[in-house]
Amino acid sequence: LHSPKDLYVYYALQFTFHATNNEAQYEALLLGLWVMHNLCVQHVIMHGDSQLVIQQANRILEESLYR
């Protein structure tokens, strides 16, 4: 994670279960969102190498804003 004030937050995770590539990317995304929530982040720009995961995450987040 990188803040506009050049603060970098690094984290690593290791799964103790078998996961497909997409499942691993979803788990990493969820952990990143959890970290950002706990840091009270207000704006997020997501980048990733899986368009499917990023598009689905964007759709879920947008839908949750309108509930």
Side-chain angles (χ1 to χ4, degrees):
L1 304 175
H2 176 220
S3 79
K5 296 181 180 181
D6 281 336
L7 169 69
Y8 285 87
V9 177
Y10 296 95
Y11 62 91
L13 60 130
Q14 179 177 358
F15 298 122
T16 58
F17 56 90
H18 295 286
T20 66
N21 189 39
N22 278 351
E23 289 170 333
Q25 290 181 1
Y26 279 115
E27 291 292 332
L29 175 63
L30 289 173
L31 178 63
L33 292 172
W34 180 82
V35 169
M36 289 183 285
H37 173 77
N38 285 305
L39 292 173
C40 300
V41 172
Q42 295 177 353
H43 303 281
V44 175
I45 299 172
M46 291 185 281
H47 298 276
D49 62 353
S50 173
Q51 283 298 101
L52 175 65
V53 172
I54 298 299
Q55 288 173 352
Q56 288 177 344
N58 279 331
R59 188 172 56 247
I60 291 167
L61 291 172
E62 287 173 1
E63 289 172 359
S64 69
L65 292 175
Y66 296 111
R67 288 185 187 173

